[in-house]
Amino acid sequence: MGVELSIVVPTYNERENIGILIERIDMVLRGAGVNYEVVIVDDNSPDGTADYAEELARTEGYPVKIVRRPGKLGLASAVIDGIKAVRGVFIAVMDADLQHPPEVLPQMLKALKGGCDIAIASRYVEGGSIEGWSLLRKVISKGAILIVRILLPKVRNIKDPISGYFMFRKDVIEGVLDKLKPRGYKTLLEILVRGRAREVCEVPYTFRPRYKGRSKLSAKEVIDYLLHILDLAPSYVKFAIVGALGTVVNLGTLTVLTLEGIPHAIASATAIEVSILNNFILNDIWTFRGGRKDKWWHRLLKFHGSSASAIIVQWTVSNALYYLLHIPSIIAQLVGIVAGFVLNYMLSKKFVWRTQ
């Protein structure tokens, strides 16, 4: 009989926890009649986590596979390496620190067999909860989810899109596994956005403090999380962010030049050009980096054209609404800005960088 469920467990200095985790997984899944394997991906733990897990497999007969890596290469890449080593039809990802209770695995597996493509162990659906967190930690978590929902449309209906405990059908990542490039701790986000899931379910669970050891969350992980979200954001969100930064550059340049005594007409024109150059560079290396088919100066000239077209449309729409339809000035200007943004984005995507 083939392996039904593969459980990927990244580890680094988890010797104190790994034995208890494997024992609990075995008790839960054997009792449920599930043929499973545990794939432990260890980053050369100094405390001998991998050796201990290997010993447990040999002496206790647990179905454990060890993937040894040469050093501390990060949790996200550990999950990907683990996924590449699995044999199961269904794949679960969980931490080794016992914050993710193995007792939830059968419920998640049931959800997948019932038609879901991804089952998320959720802290924020009805029945889910968190123990041992301060108010500040809860606020940070909610804030992180809010940012994700704003920037990633695909996850807006998911209560806990940043959970580290989830299960999915293997075919969800078929054809895209090599394109998955998660950063930090949030591999689920990568799979939700780049994978082929149609139906996502959430299973409630209680997130508890670590059994033993220390949390590995650091400032670097927070920065990686934010960069990961920005990288996953759709191109129109990135384009809007770049446009907002361009506005800051425009006004900043104008302020500096006018303080230096430069006439407004010259300062304004210079500020506009500097902001266009700023926007071109950021869109070229970030928003549309896959669409650099022409020479850079060709793209730059075309971006000037699309930007000029957007300014003309913004001005035309704003004045038409104000003078012809008698719409208040601020609303007319806002509609004009939106119209100019849409045109500039479409021209940039299809004409300047030709991503379609």
Side-chain angles (χ1 to χ4, degrees):
M1 183 177 176
V3 174
E4 183 177 20
L5 174 63
S6 296
I7 305 158
V8 176
V9 184
T11 60
Y12 185 77
N13 284 346
E14 296 288 358
R15 183 187 179 98
E16 293 180 307
N17 296 317
I18 198 66
I20 300 171
L21 176 67
I22 293 173
E23 182 181 352
R24 284 173 60 182
I25 289 174
D26 185 73
M27 185 180 301
V28 169
L29 295 181
R30 282 190 190 275
V34 178
N35 192 23
Y36 76 96
E37 66 174 354
V38 178
V39 179
I40 293 175
V41 186
D42 187 70
D43 279 1
N44 196 23
S45 298
D47 71 351
T49 299
D51 292 337
Y52 182 55
E54 202 167 59
E55 180 185 340
L56 286 174
R58 184 175 63 254
T59 58
E60 302 296 333
Y62 295 132
V64 174
K65 177 190 294 185
I66 311 294
V67 177
R68 295 175 182 267
R69 306 205 304 171
K72 194 174 182 182
L73 304 178
L75 184 141
S77 62
V79 171
I80 299 302
D81 285 346
I83 291 173
K84 290 177 180 178
V86 303
R87 295 178 294 156
V89 178
F90 304 106
I91 303 170
V93 176
M94 67 188 302
D95 291 346
D97 55 16
L98 304 176
Q99 291 181 309
H100 298 157
E103 291 74 19
V104 182
L105 289 169
Q107 300 171 49
M108 297 163 70
L109 184 59
K110 181 180 179 181
L112 295 189
K113 290 181 176 180
C116 296
D117 297 303
I118 298 177
I120 302 171
S122 176
R123 300 161 292 180
Y124 297 119
V125 292
E126 186 176 352
S129 62
I130 298 173
E131 293 182 359
W133 274 16
S134 65
L135 177 61
L136 177 61
R137 183 78 184 271
K138 291 178 180 179
V139 169
I140 292 173
S141 177
K142 286 287 190 177
I145 291 175
L146 178 61
I147 293 172
V148 165
R149 286 180 175 166
I150 292 173
L151 297 181
L152 304 180
K154 280 191 174 184
V155 307
R156 283 180 185 160
N157 295 322
I158 300 173
K159 298 287 187 182
D160 197 355
I162 61 174
S163 175
Y165 190 14
F166 58 95
M167 188 183 295
F168 59 96
R169 296 174 177 273
K170 195 173 186 177
D171 58 11
V172 165
I173 56 170
E174 204 169 83
V176 299
L177 180 58
D178 290 336
K179 298 178 183 178
L180 298 180
K181 298 178 181 178
R183 305 175 62 146
Y185 279 61
K186 305 307 175 185
T187 309
L188 174 60
L189 279 178
E190 189 82 10
I191 294 174
L192 286 170
V193 174
R194 302 195 196 276
R196 302 164 56 191
R198 297 176 299 276
E199 186 73 23
V200 178
C201 301
E202 295 186 74
V203 176
Y205 88 108
T206 298
F207 183 90
R208 294 186 170 89
R210 287 179 61 94
Y211 179 68
K212 289 185 178 180
R214 295 190 307 169
S215 172
K216 300 174 182 66
L217 184 64
S218 64
K220 178 181 181 300
E221 297 298 340
V222 174
I223 293 172
D224 280 342
Y225 171 72
L226 295 174
L227 293 176
H228 189 200
I229 294 172
L230 290 175
D231 188 55
L232 288 174
S235 60
Y236 65 85
V237 172
K238 296 177 181 178
F239 194 79
I241 292 172
V242 169
L245 291 174
T247 300
V248 174
V249 169
N250 188 323
L251 296 177
T253 303
L254 180 67
T255 300
V256 171
L257 293 178
T258 52
L259 288 175
E260 292 296 321
I262 305 298
H264 177 78
I266 297 176
S268 176
T270 303
I272 291 172
E273 177 60 22
V274 170
S275 67
I276 289 175
L277 291 174
N278 170 83
N279 290 4
F280 170 77
I281 292 170
L282 291 179
N283 283 319
D284 199 58
I285 64 177
W286 183 43
T287 310
F288 302 114
R289 64 173 176 259
R292 292 179 286 190
K293 298 178 174 64
D294 296 332
K295 294 180 179 179
W296 70 267
W297 58 272
H298 282 174
R299 299 194 301 275
L300 179 57
L301 288 176
K302 289 191 288 185
F303 186 67
H304 274 81
S306 69
S307 299
S309 300
I311 292 171
I312 292 171
V313 166
Q314 176 184 331
W315 183 87
T316 302
V317 170
S318 178
N319 281 275
L321 292 176
Y322 180 75
Y323 288 109
L324 299 180
L325 301 180
H326 308 294
I327 290 176
S329 176
I330 191 70
I331 297 177
Q333 186 73 347
L334 179 61
V335 175
I337 289 172
V338 172
F341 168 79
V342 171
L343 177 65
N344 198 6
Y345 172 70
M346 296 305 297
L347 289 175
S348 295
K349 185 175 182 179
K350 296 185 177 181
F351 176 63
V352 179
W353 281 278
R354 295 187 299 171
T355 61
Q356 290 185 341

